Amino acid sequence: MVKLTFYGGVREIGGNKVLLEDDEGKIFLDFGYPYSKYRVFFEEYLKPRAGAGLLDLLAMGLLPHLEGIYRTDLETENLWQQFRRAGHYRKLEDIDGILLTHAHLDHSGHISFLREDIPVYATASTAFIAKAIQDSGKADFDQQVCYFTPRVEECLKGWKQGAYVASSSGDHQRRFGVADQSGLSEEARNFWGRATRQKKLDSQPLDDIGKCSFNLRCFPVDHSIPGACSWGIETSSGWVVYSGDLRLHGKRGKLTEAFIKEAAQLHPRVLILEGTNVDKKANIAEKEVYENAFKVINDAKGLVIADFPARDMDRLLTFLQVAIDTKRKLTILPKDAYLLKTMRLLEPEIPDIAQEDAIVIYQETTASKSPAQWLKKIYEEYSSKVVLAKDVASNQDDFVLCFSFWDLNELPSIQPGAGSLYVFSSSEPHNEEQEMDFRRLHKWLEHFGLRGFGLPVERNGKWEIAEEEKGLHASGHACGPDLLRVARGIQPEVLIPVHSEKPEFYVDNLSGSGIDIILPTENRTVEI
Ligand SMILES: [Zn+2]
């Protein structure tokens, strides 16, 4: 008998944490950051306290009450005493690992809190993106997926109580086992072990997934980030297949098609399937995004800003093609350059920034005198490609600037000219905070006389994109009919929906298909 316990991803989009237990062992399917649950209690300036370690997250119900799986350096004194009587408390040691499906934080983020000897199994791309995100990001204590800075209790002078502070000794890299490690170049392995912050990195060589006590299958699938996969786990009750996030309509939709075929051949007992876009009837393909973006940018006079999701490599390449075809330069941020360079270590078909005339790198106006190591390296390596606000300001017709809402504060240095365009190629707001940001975005555009295109507009409390401006965003997730095609194509005995606000969709649409649907309950176990 196999037991599946759903600690996250139940009636929420993201935060997937599914524990699979069998005679073979125990393994988690993703260990994600539950954004919507966080927002119930926290916001930008009200955060879990880093110095309190695990306490705030456990107390606020953001981490499962599972003693034994978390980093011991984050366990404050007598931490577990207050949780031992909680409803779903369990002592859980000997975990075999995490099967990570992709590097979006809603699937990977809470790995930050897990013991460093628990291996993470993923594709090489996912492992590398996780490192690139951390190397070039803020590396808060709750986003240390690939490596972490241990915390030590320190008695501050004259104070009674110790605080848990980041140790200065160095970073510890987690153990990653990758499904496709055999073809990795020397350069790629060097990247994996390289410290890019001021601290030294206690690095761990990449392993393979053969070390896991379960018999595993890793199926590459298409999603809005490179390296996404679905997993198959052989259990005493038959194969359990876990989709992660996927789509059929992207540039690599064939991968997902192959996954359906191969997973079907396993005759799985269980399929755990995402359901983000169950309400969508159809998809927009990346090719349409190219065509629509080309049309509007080709007609544009003045500056063009393209706003698309971070780490969506397909979209970046779409806008690169548009830039080439409209004789402009795609102006990316250093963190995008860092990711592009990292991805090229694994996929040689990714363009080389040094060789691609149509790519330049934007240097923020307030750049620090002593930039972080990774940033310094990017500026040095591509020194002939760095452009400043004044370069963009004086030749606005020449650029497609890859900015998002968070980069708008560069605009006072650029002063976009009349007729400049803001092309929105991302998803509409999903919560009140994002709605506030969209109102601010509209104000910024108004202020600088920028014309928005493809941008959701608020009408009677609803955010909608004007009909003639649609088709600028291809979602990372399959629409309802495609999800049903995945389910029917794989034909499991049991389907369990996760990562969905409307899991009933599967009950309503798969009756009579021979597939049993089990709707999971948070913190509860399903036995199969
Ligand atoms: Zn997700």
Side-chain angles (χ1 to χ4, degrees):
M1 190 168 56
V2 61
K3 289 185 192 168
L4 296 163
T5 311
F6 295 80
Y7 291 107
V10 176
R11 284 184 193 279
E12 64 178 323
I13 291 176
N16 292 16
K17 289 186 183 88
V18 182
L19 175 64
L20 182 155
E21 296 173 87
D22 190 28
D23 308 332
E24 298 294 321
K26 303 183 185 76
I27 202 157
F28 265 102
L29 313 179
D30 284 333
F31 210 74
Y33 191 104
Y35 282 100
S36 46
K37 272 193 215 143
Y38 257 77
R39 269 192 298 270
V40 173
F41 299 111
F42 295 110
E43 49 114 292
E44 205 185 341
Y45 295 106
L46 179 62
K47 286 180 176 174
R49 299 161 298 168
L54 297 166
L55 175 65
D56 294 359
L57 294 131
L58 290 169
M60 303 315 288
L62 299 171
L63 269 181
H65 297 164
L66 300 172
E67 184 175 356
I69 64 171
Y70 299 115
R71 280 165 49 187
T72 48
D73 64 302
L74 294 177
E75 281 189 7
T76 41
E77 226 180 303
N78 300 326
L79 175 73
W80 289 100
Q81 262 172 20
Q82 60 174 300
F83 299 111
R84 285 201 177 114
R85 268 188 225 119
H88 73 269
Y89 168 85
R90 255 183 90 183
K91 192 147 190 167
L92 191 68
E93 274 147 355
D94 53 4
I95 287 280
D96 292 84
I98 309 296
L99 298 180
L100 175 61
T101 54
H102 60 283
H104 281 150
L105 286 168
D106 65 324
H107 294 254
S108 67
H110 273 183
I111 288 173
S112 312
F113 298 118
L114 294 173
R115 258 169 32 209
E116 66 178 299
D117 61 318
I118 298 175
V120 178
Y121 297 105
T123 62
S125 297
T126 293
F128 277 43
I129 296 170
K131 182 167 188 293
I133 292 174
Q134 209 179 329
D135 286 348
S136 62
K138 284 188 298 223
D140 282 345
F141 89 118
D142 57 357
Q143 305 206 347
Q144 302 192 327
V145 175
C146 188
Y147 51 88
F148 66 90
T149 320
R151 301 188 84 82
V152 288
E153 194 181 356
E154 214 164 75
C155 262
L156 302 173
K157 239 187 232 160
W159 292 26
K160 202 170 174 190
Q161 218 176 1
Y164 287 79
V165 298
S167 108
S168 53
S169 62
D171 290 329
H172 290 224
Q173 192 163 33
R174 286 177 190 286
R175 285 169 57 203
F176 269 72
V178 298
D180 43 357
Q181 71 133 346
S182 56
L184 289 184
S185 66
E186 197 57 37
E187 212 188 341
R189 285 180 197 280
N190 287 342
F191 163 79
W192 181 251
R194 191 183 305 136
T196 49
R197 300 202 283 160
Q198 269 56 31
K199 288 178 179 148
K200 81 168 180 36
L201 180 67
D202 191 356
S203 79
Q204 292 269 1
L206 280 173
D207 233 322
D208 59 48
I209 62 169
K211 293 276 164 69
C212 184
S213 55
F214 285 95
N215 185 24
L216 300 174
R217 290 282 303 273
C218 176
F219 306 100
V221 294
D222 191 19
H223 184 41
S224 47
I225 188 167
C229 73
S230 301
W231 287 99
I233 308 103
E234 193 170 20
T235 73
S236 54
S237 304
W239 283 89
V240 173
V241 173
Y242 170 51
S243 71
D245 291 350
L246 46 69
R247 63 179 171 189
L248 285 154
H249 60 277
K251 275 185 186 164
R252 283 154 293 157
K254 285 214 173 76
L255 292 178
T256 312
E257 301 279 2
F259 155 66
I260 296 173
K261 271 202 195 113
E262 287 171 41
Q265 282 164 8
L266 299 175
H267 302 290
R269 189 70 204 277
V270 181
L271 171 63
I272 302 170
L273 181 58
E274 72 124 314
T276 316
N277 278 351
V278 290
D279 278 345
K280 288 229 169 90
K281 301 273 185 302
N283 303 300
I284 289 154
E286 198 62 39
K287 206 169 140 260
E288 295 170 67
V289 175
Y290 166 82
E291 284 159 10
N292 294 323
F294 173 79
K295 246 185 271 166
V296 62
I297 294 175
N298 198 39
D299 291 342
K301 300 271 178 292
L303 183 65
V304 173
I305 295 175
D307 178 350
F308 56 86
R311 298 179 274 280
D312 186 338
M313 195 56 72
D314 294 333
R315 191 64 41 78
L316 193 146
L317 297 177
T318 293
F319 278 102
L320 174 61
Q321 196 55 51
V322 172
I324 292 169
D325 296 344
T326 57
K327 301 192 173 54
R328 288 172 179 260
K329 295 211 185 290
L330 192 76
T331 312
I332 60 177
L333 297 171
K335 65 175 174 10
D336 303 321
Y338 189 70
L339 184 66
L340 210 55
K341 192 183 161 211
T342 303
M343 289 316 298
R344 208 177 126 73
L345 295 171
L346 301 171
E347 297 177 28
E349 59 277 18
I350 298 271
D352 178 356
I353 297 172
Q355 302 294 320
E356 178 51 73
D357 287 339
I359 299 181
V360 292
I361 299 169
Y362 186 85
Q363 184 180 325
E364 275 179 35
T365 307
T366 51
S368 138
K369 250 191 203 166
S370 51
Q373 241 171 317
W374 71 272
L375 192 57
K376 221 165 105 187
K377 274 218 164 116
I378 289 286
Y379 289 147
E380 278 166 14
E381 185 171 351
Y382 306 114
S383 57
S384 65
K385 297 238 157 202
V386 174
V387 298
L388 304 174
K390 59 177 189 211
D391 304 319
V392 177
S394 55
N395 290 295
Q396 300 197 6
D397 290 338
D398 292 350
F399 297 96
V400 173
L401 203 48
C402 300
F403 272 7
S404 72
F405 173 74
W406 308 103
D407 309 303
L408 291 171
N409 57 0
E410 284 292 316
L411 293 184
S413 297
I414 296 174
Q415 294 288 335
S420 292
L421 186 68
Y422 192 94
V423 179
F424 185 75
S425 176
S426 199
S427 43
E428 58 270 35
H430 293 301
N431 58 54
E432 286 166 37
E433 276 166 57
Q434 287 173 1
E435 287 180 8
M436 273 309 294
D437 292 342
F438 268 75
R439 286 185 200 114
R440 287 192 187 98
L441 171 58
H442 277 283
K443 289 289 179 200
W444 276 87
L445 302 191
E446 254 171 57
H447 184 86
F448 284 103
L450 277 153
R451 178 164 68 99
F453 193 92
L455 193 63
V457 178
E458 192 173 18
R459 273 192 201 105
N460 309 322
K462 270 185 126 185
W463 289 85
E464 277 171 10
I465 302 169
E467 204 53 47
E468 63 281 8
E469 296 183 11
K470 282 183 177 164
L472 275 165
H473 177 55
S475 169
H477 302 276
C479 63
D482 282 358
L483 288 167
L484 295 175
R485 191 148 80 77
V486 175
R488 291 198 181 100
I490 295 177
Q491 195 69 26
E493 288 174 38
V494 173
L495 185 147
I496 306 178
V498 290
H499 203 281
S500 182
E501 283 172 349
K502 291 182 184 160
E504 293 80 11
F505 167 84
Y506 291 105
V507 181
D508 298 344
N509 288 280
L510 287 173
S511 65
S513 66
I515 303 172
D516 278 334
I517 315 292
I518 298 179
L519 299 183
T521 308
E522 188 159 286
N523 300 328
R524 291 277 181 78
T525 303
V526 175
E527 295 186 353
I528 288 166

